[in-house]
Amino acid sequence: MKKIVSILLVLLMVFSLAACGNNTTPPPAEPNEPGEPNEQPGEQPAGIAESMTLHVGAYPDTIDPALNSAVDGATYIIHAFAGLVGYRQLEDETLELYADMAKELPEPVETADGMVSYTYELKDGLKWSDGSDLTAQDFVYAWNRAVDPNTAADYEYMFDVIDGYLDVIGGVEGAKLNVTASEDGKSLTVVLPVDVPYFHELCAFPAFMPVKESVVEGNEDWATVAETYIGNGPYKVVEFSQSELVMQKNEFYHDADAIKTNELRFAFNDDDGSTLANFQNGSYLFIDQVPNEEIQSLQASHPDEFYITGQLGTYFVIFNVNDPAFAAFDESDKATIRKALGLMIDRNYIVEEIGQAGQVPAAGFVAMGLTEPDGTEYIANNGPDRDGSGYYSVDIDDYEANTAEAIELLKQAAESSGKFTVGDDGKVSAGFPTIIYITNNGTGHEAIAVNLQATFAEYGINMTIDTQEWATFLNTRKNGEYSVARHGWLGDYNDPISFLDMWITTSGNNDSQFGRGEHANYAGYSYKGESGKTWAESYDKLITEVKTSKDQVQRFDLMHQAEDILMSTGAVCPIYYYTDIFMMSTELEGAFPSPLGFKYFMYAYVPK
């Protein structure tokens, strides 16, 4: 039978997803005595294969926990590092948070000044992979490093829930996050201005994992060399080349007894035809991509190895709001043009003919699967009318009406700007700028690019496609050196804010460049009924209020308001809500995916 999970059920449960067979994660083992490794290096349990080769992506842009913002990079990181909190799979195949480096998950405590504190007691005898002691001070260093402007971490804004953050980014001399280690290094206390319902989830995210100060400080290349990539997780890096990342069991990991496979070899490959061939010949036991045109046949030919699972994510097209090609247009006209282009996209065709894996056409940016305080689904209340109809119709029968509206919007922009015209046939004149669309390798991404190119051509719009290598593509987009790009975002934790705070002006993930450059001066947004506001005065302010609100109902209302503003720009153009496609050998046991996109192999093994 096909391994297709009910997406709605999966996402409503958030961290419940299916896997093959009885792939369950054993409960964490008790650590051995301080300073004693759990097993000798190279000791392999009888009846278990020594090594396995896996594929989760191309050569990564970075595997520095503070700098990474890609899902493949995060998968590598969670095998070499461990946080205060982690995820594990239970016997019923659901995922749960558990105390990893910490002894237990603490409850929040209200402080005398009305703030909230969490105190994490660390397990005894924690070590780095080089055998040196790990203490709570290592977390203090790592978290402050992540918010240091000199680090330039994409996820710096994630730490804004911690007291002291505003002073740090405000440049107050000597300012630090309100995170302290006990004198003996055995406990970490974190102070928050208000309680954050997803704080334990943040502590499980790679950006919150510790790094070793003596290795990292003053060494920008530490995360690119095996010898200096010192972690505290289940595996340690022993080889890092352009072709693969090799990890071996970390004998100093506190739960090393539960790690069955001595070696993981992560092969770097961005050619989905090649990855499939390597899976079929047995070289790869897991692949995270397949050729788009092979999806249907693989479902039939490999029913026990082809998986489609739910993900908390959205695939979308992104526009650079400061695109030089449209510099002659004012921001209002640019937004109108972007909305028109978004309405031209046939989302149903893309999911049915290109995606072919149960993706759902998206009428908003925040992904399906997240719930409101009253238990209803967030997207059931999205859109300006809060009725779940979204920001445009994705009904297959409304596509013709969408394209008619797109033509009217183009006519409005043409008349307002005077830069081009729209003929009776709906086609624009030569004055309309050429669009350059960037994407990374992958038959699915490239097929969508070609579809958009052909769709826009029907309206006389010329779009060229620039396919870039993965790391180059990420940095081109991040630096705002593009016109239009493909994008995708998976939630970092179980809250809609994970999809919304990435667009604040200072966010390292704000690839659309909102609030930057010329866009910083545009005062065309509204804040709580007041018009004439800039991005910083509207969107940024709403996100700050979400982060500081103690009222869950108010938080969600503010998040809907923020999504209204985001979607009004037309610069973030959702295509579909993600599903996760991968192939996993029937020989591989104990591996599991997460709706956040990460893949877990630390407890995986292949019986001989």
Side-chain angles (χ1 to χ4, degrees):
M1 56 182 268
K2 296 180 181 179
K3 297 292 184 178
I4 300 181
V5 181
S6 170
I7 297 169
L8 181 59
L9 176 62
V10 166
L11 295 180
L12 286 175
M13 295 179 69
V14 182
F15 293 111
S16 170
L17 52 148
C20 185
N22 295 314
N23 297 336
T24 58
T25 303
E30 290 298 318
N32 286 353
E33 289 300 313
E36 292 296 321
N38 289 301
E39 284 188 8
Q40 292 301 313
E43 184 178 334
Q44 179 71 31
I48 301 295
E50 172 79 18
S51 178
M52 10 185 229
T53 300
L54 314 156
H55 166 269
V56 297
Y59 184 87
D61 181 42
T62 179
I63 53 172
D64 182 329
L67 299 181
N68 174 72
S69 59
V71 173
D72 56 340
T75 294
Y76 306 134
I77 290 167
I78 62 174
H79 288 81
F81 288 86
L84 295 167
V85 182
Y87 288 106
R88 63 184 174 191
Q89 191 180 50
L90 303 179
E91 290 186 1
D92 63 359
E93 299 182 345
T94 60
L95 299 191
E96 73 166 7
L97 289 167
Y98 77 102
D100 193 348
M101 292 290 104
K103 289 182 178 179
E104 61 183 8
L105 303 184
E107 293 292 327
V109 176
E110 186 170 348
T111 62
D113 56 3
M115 294 191 181
V116 172
S117 70
Y118 285 82
T119 298
Y120 293 87
E121 298 290 337
L122 270 60
K123 288 184 168 72
D124 296 329
L126 296 179
K127 299 283 185 179
W128 291 103
S129 57
D130 62 359
S132 59
D133 292 336
L134 183 150
T135 72
Q137 183 58 40
D138 293 309
F139 286 92
V140 175
Y141 168 74
W143 294 10
N144 278 291
R145 172 180 178 260
V147 297
D148 186 335
N150 293 320
T151 304
D154 286 351
Y155 276 115
E156 164 264 317
Y157 63 90
M158 258 190 167
F159 293 84
D160 64 0
V161 299
I162 300 176
D163 182 47
Y165 170 85
L166 292 178
D167 287 340
V168 175
I169 65 168
V172 176
E173 187 175 355
K176 297 287 184 181
L177 294 176
N178 196 343
V179 182
T180 56
S182 62
E183 190 171 336
D184 61 6
K186 293 184 177 181
S187 66
L188 182 78
T189 299
V190 189
V191 179
L192 317 179
V194 298
D195 192 23
V196 174
Y198 50 86
F199 190 70
H200 290 318
E201 294 175 59
L202 288 178
C203 290
F205 193 72
F208 283 72
M209 291 178 177
V211 292
K212 188 174 181 180
E213 182 176 4
S214 62
V215 171
V216 173
E217 197 68 20
N219 182 8
E220 293 183 357
D221 298 324
W222 76 274
T224 64
V225 181
E227 288 75 17
T228 55
Y229 198 72
I230 305 300
N232 67 314
Y235 284 88
K236 58 186 177 183
V237 173
V238 297
E239 182 183 335
F240 190 5
S241 68
Q242 290 293 315
S243 60
E244 64 179 352
L245 181 67
V246 182
M247 297 186 181
Q248 291 180 354
K249 181 176 178 179
N250 174 16
E251 65 270 26
F252 293 105
Y253 179 53
H254 72 88
D255 194 22
D257 285 344
I259 310 304
K260 298 181 179 181
T261 303
N262 267 350
E263 183 177 80
L264 304 181
R265 307 185 76 92
F266 289 102
F268 301 142
N269 197 332
D270 63 358
D271 184 330
D272 45 24
S274 172
T275 59
L276 177 59
N278 277 285
F279 180 84
Q280 291 177 325
N281 68 27
S283 298
Y284 296 172
L285 295 174
F286 181 99
I287 58 174
D288 217 11
Q289 63 185 33
V290 298
N292 204 72
E293 66 274 11
E294 300 286 345
I295 290 175
Q296 290 187 350
S297 63
L298 289 171
Q299 286 179 290
S301 62
H302 294 71
D304 296 323
E305 296 180 315
F306 188 90
Y307 288 75
I308 300 175
T309 67
Q311 278 192 322
L312 288 172
T314 305
Y315 189 102
F316 58 105
V317 170
I318 186 174
F319 294 80
N320 178 1
V321 294
N322 294 318
D323 179 11
F326 285 84
F329 295 81
D330 66 27
E331 183 56 36
S332 178
D333 289 334
K334 287 191 281 188
T336 299
I337 291 169
R338 293 190 294 252
K339 290 178 186 177
L341 295 176
L343 286 167
M344 293 174 185
I345 298 173
D346 190 343
R347 292 164 175 81
N348 286 283
Y349 178 88
I350 289 175
V351 300
E352 293 171 7
E353 302 299 325
I354 300 177
Q356 302 182 52
Q359 297 93 342
V360 177
F365 180 63
V366 176
M368 63 187 295
L370 298 165
T371 54
E372 302 266 358
D374 63 2
T376 61
E377 193 172 11
Y378 177 94
I379 66 168
N381 301 301
N382 73 358
D385 297 324
R386 302 291 182 268
D387 59 358
S389 60
Y391 297 90
Y392 42 77
S393 175
V394 292
D395 190 307
I396 193 169
D397 295 327
D398 288 338
Y399 180 63
E400 186 174 341
N402 285 349
T403 58
E405 183 180 350
I407 293 172
E408 290 305 311
L409 288 174
L410 286 179
K411 288 179 178 179
Q412 291 177 26
E415 182 178 354
S416 174
S417 68
K419 304 298 181 184
F420 66 98
T421 59
V422 180
D424 293 338
D425 58 357
K427 293 187 176 182
V428 301
S429 65
F432 193 91
T434 293
I435 297 171
I436 301 176
Y437 182 92
I438 65 169
T439 183
N440 58 300
N441 293 313
T443 52
H445 302 317
E446 293 172 49
I448 290 175
V450 170
N451 174 262
L452 297 180
Q453 183 183 54
T455 297
F456 295 154
E458 294 179 17
Y459 302 89
I461 299 169
N462 182 37
M463 185 183 101
T464 61
I465 301 171
D466 178 12
T467 303
Q468 300 181 352
E469 180 267 336
W470 176 236
T472 301
F473 168 72
L474 289 179
N475 285 290
T476 301
R477 199 176 63 192
K478 181 191 301 184
N479 295 333
E481 299 168 346
Y482 73 97
S483 295
V484 190
R486 87 96 188 160
H487 207 322
W489 190 256
L490 299 179
D492 300 316
Y493 45 87
N494 178 24
D495 195 278
I497 196 64
S498 178
F499 288 84
L500 298 170
D501 60 0
M502 63 184 287
W503 303 113
I504 61 173
T505 302
T506 57
S507 166
N509 292 313
N510 176 14
D511 293 352
S512 210
Q513 312 300 312
F514 292 121
R516 302 174 183 172
E518 287 299 315
H519 190 260
N521 303 317
Y522 177 65
Y525 302 109
S526 296
Y527 171 75
K528 295 186 176 179
E530 295 182 33
S531 58
K533 302 296 183 181
T534 64
W535 192 255
E537 295 167 338
S538 57
Y539 194 86
D540 290 359
K541 198 169 181 179
L542 281 171
I543 297 302
T544 297
E545 290 191 34
V546 172
K547 296 290 189 75
T548 56
S549 175
K550 297 182 179 181
D551 183 328
Q552 282 299 303
V553 174
Q554 179 191 53
R555 283 186 73 249
F556 276 77
D557 178 61
L558 291 169
M559 285 190 282
H560 282 296
Q561 291 181 45
E563 189 175 17
D564 289 345
I565 295 176
L566 179 68
M567 295 301 294
S568 74
T569 68
V572 174
C573 179
I575 304 297
Y576 58 71
Y577 300 125
Y578 266 118
T579 55
D580 191 10
I581 305 172
F582 59 87
M583 295 191 73
M584 183 163 61
S585 170
T586 53
E587 297 179 10
L588 182 60
E589 298 185 23
F592 59 93
S594 158
L596 306 181
F598 306 166
K599 305 300 189 298
Y600 293 79
F601 303 103
M602 57 279 290
Y603 298 110
Y605 62 96
V606 174
K608 287 184 178 179

